[in-house]
Amino acid sequence: IEAAQTHRELAAKHQRWNEINAELSRLRLHLDNLEKIFGLIRGNMLVEYLAQEQMNIVLANASERLKQLTHNRYALEIDSEGSFIVRDDANGGSRRPAGSLSGGETFQTSLALALALSDQIQLRGKYPLEFFFLDEGFGSLDRSALEVSMTTLERLRHDRLTIGIISHVEELQQRMPRRLMVTPPDLLGNGSSVRIEIA
């Protein structure tokens, strides 16, 4: 009987020890989290941390868009210095600076980043805008790069996204299904005029 009583007491103490040990582990985890938060709020570390988290979200979105635009050839990453680099999955996943891309590829990468950033801004609103204005330097693109850019934009039309393009490039204008043509004021005092053209 005495042995049984001792056994019950030891079992109860062991159970209590397990409970205390579990509570201690929980408190240590809580303390670790508090120390991390305290470390983040010192100086600009919190702002830098939040900015990095936001950048990672935009980067992941932009990388997915770039994959779609380039038929899974290119993806975006950030190097250790915080600069954008391009991963060429069609070339064994080799990485190279974004500045090494051709004109058309640079346009696709810039467009992917702009759309990803636009997505993040629109998430703050109640309703999706599903509209995007693009005022890029199309005039600086050669014919091949312009073709890549236009094909990219035409593909996006089927992605529940309307894109408005501001451009003086005639070849680009002719490929637009609907055009809002703006005529500037003249020397006779006539003001600006706007007309719609449908291809």
Side-chain angles (χ1 to χ4, degrees), residues 55-78 84-87 89 108-109 111-117:
M55 175 62 77
N56 290 338
I57 293 171
V58 171
L59 178 68
N61 187 330
S63 188
E64 282 303 311
R65 283 192 174 274
L66 184 59
K67 286 180 183 179
Q68 294 170 6
L69 296 177
T70 60
H71 301 289
N72 292 315
R73 175 170 184 179
Y74 293 128
L76 276 174
E77 295 181 359
I78 295 181
F84 288 114
I85 57 173
V86 176
R87 189 183 72 236
D89 289 334
Q108 289 177 318
T109 304
L111 179 61
L113 281 166
L115 291 172
L117 187 57

Side-chain angles (χ1 to χ4, degrees), residues 21-199:
N21 196 45
E23 180 67 11
L24 181 61
S25 297
R26 188 187 68 80
L27 289 174
R28 281 176 177 163
L29 179 62
H30 185 62
L31 180 61
D32 287 344
N33 289 334
L34 287 175
E35 288 177 347
K36 289 178 182 177
I37 292 173
F38 180 72
L40 286 172
I41 62 177
R42 285 182 300 187
N44 293 326
M45 292 186 68
L46 178 61
V47 174
E48 292 173 2
Y49 172 79
L50 294 175
Q52 185 60 48
E53 287 298 303
Q54 191 66 29
M55 175 62 77
N56 290 338
I57 293 171
V58 171
L59 178 68
N61 187 330
S63 188
E64 282 303 311
R65 283 192 174 274
L66 184 59
K67 286 180 183 179
Q68 294 170 6
L69 296 177
T70 60
H71 301 289
N72 292 315
R73 175 170 184 179
Y74 293 128
L76 276 174
E77 295 181 359
I78 295 181
D79 63 15
S80 58
E81 298 178 357
S83 300
F84 288 114
I85 57 173
V86 176
R87 189 183 72 236
D88 190 347
D89 289 334
N91 192 24
S94 61
R95 291 164 175 79
R96 55 193 176 111
S100 65
L101 297 173
S102 68
E105 293 167 341
T106 299
F107 173 84
Q108 289 177 318
T109 304
S110 299
L111 179 61
L113 281 166
L115 291 172
L117 187 57
S118 175
D119 283 347
Q120 287 302 306
I121 293 171
Q122 291 186 39
L123 283 175
R124 300 176 186 274
K126 185 175 181 181
Y127 303 103
L129 298 178
E130 296 182 353
F131 194 88
F132 185 80
F133 260 114
L134 188 61
D135 186 7
E136 290 282 344
F138 292 100
S140 63
L141 300 179
D142 59 28
R143 182 172 295 275
S144 174
L146 187 61
E147 178 63 30
V148 172
S149 302
M150 280 307 303
T151 302
T152 299
L153 293 173
E154 288 168 349
R155 192 178 307 136
L156 284 174
R157 284 203 333 235
H158 305 291
D159 192 27
R160 294 183 60 196
L161 181 67
T162 301
I163 298 181
I165 300 174
I166 302 171
S167 178
H168 296 88
V169 179
E170 183 69 24
E171 183 178 350
L172 190 65
Q173 295 175 10
Q174 294 305 317
R175 290 182 62 166
M176 295 292 99
R178 289 183 299 276
R179 299 179 290 274
L180 194 64
M181 307 300 292
V182 179
T183 303
D186 58 29
L187 296 176
L188 299 176
N190 297 314
S192 299
S193 62
V194 179
R195 71 181 189 280
I196 297 176
E197 292 183 353
I198 300 177

